[in-house]
Amino acid sequence: MYKTKLVDSDLIAWTIEQRRHFHMYPELSGQEYETAAYVKGKLDEFGIPINPKFSAPNIVAYFKGTEGKKTIALRADMDALPLYEEGDKPYISTVPGVMHGCGHDGHTATLLAVAKWMSMNPHLVKNNIVLIFQSSEEASPSGAKQLVEEGVLDGVDVIYGIHYMSNMPLGKIGFATGPAMASSDDFDIVIEGKGGHGGSPHETVDPIYIATHLIQAFQSIISRNLNPLHAGVISFGGMQAGNSYNVIPDKVQLKGTIRALTYEGAELMHTKTAQLTKSICESFGATGHYHFIEGTPPVYNHPEACEVATEIIQKTFGDDVFLPFDPVLGAEDYAYYLKEKVGAFINVGMQSEKSQYPHHHPKFDIDEAAIPAGIELMIHLALYA
């Protein structure tokens, strides 16, 4: 049906130029003011109005279609990571300790290219398009959550976003239907016992010993409480307790993360970790203080949106380009959009010699050969989703 490529070499070259600009001048989550100003300047050039109601540094623009019977939102994230970039690329970060180590520079440039193309071909765009340039994907508070609370999805029928992926072959595009990425919540626990001499443990309430029971018990949530068909994981990442050979400390501090592919699984693990902390500590005569740190919900790709996206990918690029993606326990705040509206989060492969390092690695880079497919995909989603 489609197969006609809408993206020419000039737009591709322009997009790569924009991507390299963003890469050279990265900004951390919540600090993307210069990036936002740059995006705003380009949208002004294209004559696409920006909605001023949304909190800075987010940028939300609105393109009115010729028919306007349907409104489609397209999202790109803008923030970088607190990493010192390694390598000798000509567009290396100019900001010490900050780099685009996850591809958000490519996402922002790609969505800008879609905006540019629409401004040049307004007669072809029947749908209304909401362009979301989002702050703070990598850190809390989430930019997606903030925008949803501010009403960015009001009147939107469906939302799509893309992510350039270094662990997916260059030339492939795909996603997981249904549960796609995990929730990400954290917890802090303080176990208060009674310290004393290591040679007289009977006179103490040993919080280290209690902590070992708690760590083991949390794994029973995964093996005995969580539905075996619903993936989830609880991992402890920190433990601080005492600093002597023969002194049992008064307290132990634990910290960890909870990941789940379903809303139900996330809620179950939150509830059970809190209950076990209280009950196990009390059974040993200690006090357990549990602090839950809410992160992002699971990414759920709606089947109806996935069906449309699959058809668009196959008709635009060919049947062999689409690659079903397994769910992963990484997290994405794009989940907040999908919790409210029908939509999907789509992976664009770029694994190659140039893009051989994982996301969040100091040598990570986008293989710019993937960018034409990203632009083409998002334009077709705007036109035909």
Side-chain angles (χ1 to χ4, degrees), residues 26-37:
E27 295 176 291
L28 294 174
S29 302
Q31 302 175 25
E32 310 97 322
Y33 290 98
E34 292 301 319
T35 302

Side-chain angles (χ1 to χ4, degrees), residues 177-199:
T177 299
M181 299 182 73
S183 61
S184 177
D185 301 309
D186 298 325
F187 58 83
D188 286 311
I189 296 172
V190 176
I191 302 173
E192 288 191 288
K194 178 184 176 183
H197 197 287

Side-chain angles (χ1 to χ4, degrees), residues 49-235:
I50 293 167
N51 191 329
K53 71 172 278 189
F54 298 101
S55 301
N58 298 291
I59 296 288
V60 178
Y62 187 86
F63 188 95
K64 185 172 178 59
T66 57
E67 296 182 2
K69 295 178 182 178
K70 191 172 187 179
T71 299
I72 298 171
L74 303 175
R75 174 268 206 170
D77 36 17
M78 301 189 294
D79 51 335
L81 291 161
L83 289 172
Y84 282 89
E85 185 166 16
E86 299 176 6
D88 58 359
K89 58 182 75 77
Y91 47 87
I92 197 166
S93 171
T94 62
V95 184
V98 183
M99 73 166 286
H100 272 291
C102 200
H104 297 187
D105 49 342
H107 305 161
T108 303
T110 297
L111 191 55
L112 267 185
V114 175
K116 181 179 176 68
W117 185 90
M118 291 193 303
S119 71
M120 298 169 63
N121 301 276
H123 59 290
L124 297 179
V125 186
K126 297 179 180 180
N127 299 316
N128 297 325
I129 308 298
V130 179
L131 302 164
I132 303 172
F133 294 88
Q134 180 206 306
S135 165
S136 298
E137 188 278 323
E138 296 285 2
S140 294
S142 159
K145 182 180 181 182
Q146 180 184 36
L147 285 171
V148 168
E149 290 173 349
E150 292 176 356
V152 74
L153 296 179
D154 291 351
V156 168
D157 295 296
V158 63
I159 180 167
Y160 288 99
I162 69 167
H163 202 303
Y164 291 110
M165 296 297 293
S166 66
N167 63 346
M168 187 177 193
L170 179 66
K172 297 294 186 180
I173 302 172
F175 46 79
T177 299
M181 299 182 73
S183 61
S184 177
D185 301 309
D186 298 325
F187 58 83
D188 286 311
I189 296 172
V190 176
I191 302 173
E192 288 191 288
K194 178 184 176 183
H197 197 287
S200 303
H202 60 290
E203 297 176 354
T204 73
V205 177
D206 186 350
I208 293 178
Y209 178 71
I210 298 168
T212 66
H213 282 268
L214 199 61
I215 292 169
Q216 292 293 327
F218 274 23
Q219 300 313 312
S220 73
I221 299 172
I222 303 298
S223 65
R224 289 297 177 268
N225 300 126
L226 184 67
N227 185 329
L229 300 179
H230 297 177
V233 67
I234 301 174
S235 295

Side-chain angles (χ1 to χ4, degrees), residues 11-27 35 38-39 74-81 85 89 91 99-115 132-134 138 161-166 332 345-346 348-350 354-355 359 364-379:
L11 184 59
I12 294 169
W14 182 88
T15 308
I16 291 172
E17 180 184 348
Q18 307 311 306
R19 180 258 160 170
R20 293 186 176 190
H21 169 85
F22 293 130
H23 194 90
M24 291 177 67
Y25 303 102
E27 295 176 291
T35 302
Y38 188 92
V39 168
L74 303 175
R75 174 268 206 170
D77 36 17
M78 301 189 294
D79 51 335
L81 291 161
E85 185 166 16
K89 58 182 75 77
Y91 47 87
M99 73 166 286
H100 272 291
C102 200
H104 297 187
D105 49 342
H107 305 161
T108 303
T110 297
L111 191 55
L112 267 185
V114 175
I132 303 172
F133 294 88
Q134 180 206 306
E138 296 285 2
I162 69 167
H163 202 303
Y164 291 110
M165 296 297 293
S166 66
E332 238 286 352
F345 194 53
I346 302 172
V348 177
M350 62 173 186
K354 183 177 180 183
S355 186
H359 298 258
F364 171 87
D365 198 8
I366 287 177
D367 189 333
E368 292 167 342
I371 287 178
I375 307 170
E376 195 81 45
L377 173 61
M378 293 202 84
I379 291 175

